[in-house]
Amino acid sequence: MTNKLKYFIGNWKMFGDFNSFKIISKINQYAKEHKNAKKSKIVLCVPNILIGFFRKRLKRKSISIGAQNCYHEEGYGPFTGAISAVMLKKMGAEYIILGHSENREEGETAKLIKKKIVSALNQKFNIILCVGEKFIDKKKGKTFSIIKKQINGSIEKNFNTNKIILAYEPVWSIGSKKIPKTKELMNVIRFIKNDFKKNFKTKNFPKVLYGGSVNKNNIKLLSTISEIDGFLIGGASQSSKKFIDIIKNYYK
Ligand code: PEP
């Protein structure tokens, strides 16, 4: 049920400017020099305005750069302020986060996310699809049904599921310093893997990341859940030290 390569994916959210290159550069240096990093896939999903700049400045790239969202229409068109998957790809992004709860909160529906997935797949992006329940849903015992609906509502059976990584991010855990209980988290990850494999008739289990308040202190506990294929890291990815400490402690 586990996939060996571990993912450490940073989600910078609304953060960063030209000076933030030093954060990327230090993480890249770490990835280059440490054998643990070789067992890991390190990706930094940064604001669109920085993707091309970071890609150009990064020499001997040991990490990948990703985007955090894209517009649902493809190519170029009369959509003021919008950025399409093709534009992000041309800037050098290789990964893309879609369906983040902060975007869902602004009205992004499963139908819209499906269109974004299609356009990202057409550009051969590696997609990180975020799913997760709100606290109220958890209380009502709806975690599994919410996740199932989010996944099945935005992925079609004929999609190239090899390009889709799932990120389980309980909404109540994002930025709250709270993480799920180990047993509960393990059960959700197992549920996602089994249900996905069954529903999409895939040969292998999908990769499933955990995201929500991951830091250097709780990573050791999270590392005991072998079903987790990696982590989507928000706040702590905005500091090279905090991000690198998470990777270091994971392998300790
Ligand atoms: C996120 O927003 O994807 C996230 C995981 O945030 P944080 O790590 O800050 O909880």
Side-chain angles (χ1 to χ4, degrees), residues 16 21 52 55 120 126 130 155 160 177 222 238-239 249:
F21 179 70
R55 274 301 303 255
N126 297 298
C130 299
I155 301 178
N160 181 1
K177 300 199 172 79
L222 290 166
Q238 296 172 358
S239 145
N249 288 356

Side-chain angles (χ1 to χ4, degrees), residues 110-123:
K111 204 170 144 202
L112 207 65
I113 295 166
K114 190 191 282 185
K115 287 186 105 182
K116 294 182 183 201
I117 293 177
V118 170
S119 67
L121 284 175
N122 285 342
Q123 297 309 315

Side-chain angles (χ1 to χ4, degrees), residues 51-118:
I51 293 170
F53 170 67
F54 286 170
R55 274 301 303 255
K56 272 209 155 146
R57 278 203 65 186
L58 214 53
K59 303 276 181 293
R60 290 186 52 225
K61 211 166 57 68
S62 294
I63 61 171
S64 297
I65 300 293
Q68 302 170 17
N69 201 353
C70 68
Y71 195 60
H72 59 278
E73 295 290 346
E74 300 196 37
Y76 300 147
F79 306 105
T80 304
I83 307 284
S84 65
V86 72
M87 293 159 78
L88 295 167
K89 196 66 199 253
K90 284 185 180 180
M91 284 296 113
E94 296 167 73
Y95 284 73
I96 188 163
I97 296 172
L98 292 175
H100 194 282
S101 58
E102 287 157 8
N103 301 130
R104 290 182 195 261
E105 199 51 39
E106 287 183 330
E108 195 179 63
T109 59
K111 204 170 144 202
L112 207 65
I113 295 166
K114 190 191 282 185
K115 287 186 105 182
K116 294 182 183 201
I117 293 177
V118 170

Side-chain angles (χ1 to χ4, degrees), residues 188-236:
V188 177
I189 303 279
R190 280 187 182 161
F191 167 77
I192 295 174
K193 292 198 169 194
N194 285 321
D195 199 62
F196 192 98
K197 188 169 185 282
K198 201 172 96 201
N199 195 39
F200 297 101
K201 299 188 174 41
T202 56
K203 207 166 100 231
N204 301 313
F205 287 107
K207 296 181 183 84
V208 183
L209 316 180
Y210 167 73
S213 295
V214 175
N215 61 38
K216 66 170 185 177
N217 301 317
N218 58 27
I219 191 69
K220 202 66 221 168
L221 180 63
L222 290 166
S223 75
T224 60
I225 308 172
S226 62
E227 285 88 349
I228 297 179
D229 296 297
F231 303 90
L232 184 53
I233 302 160

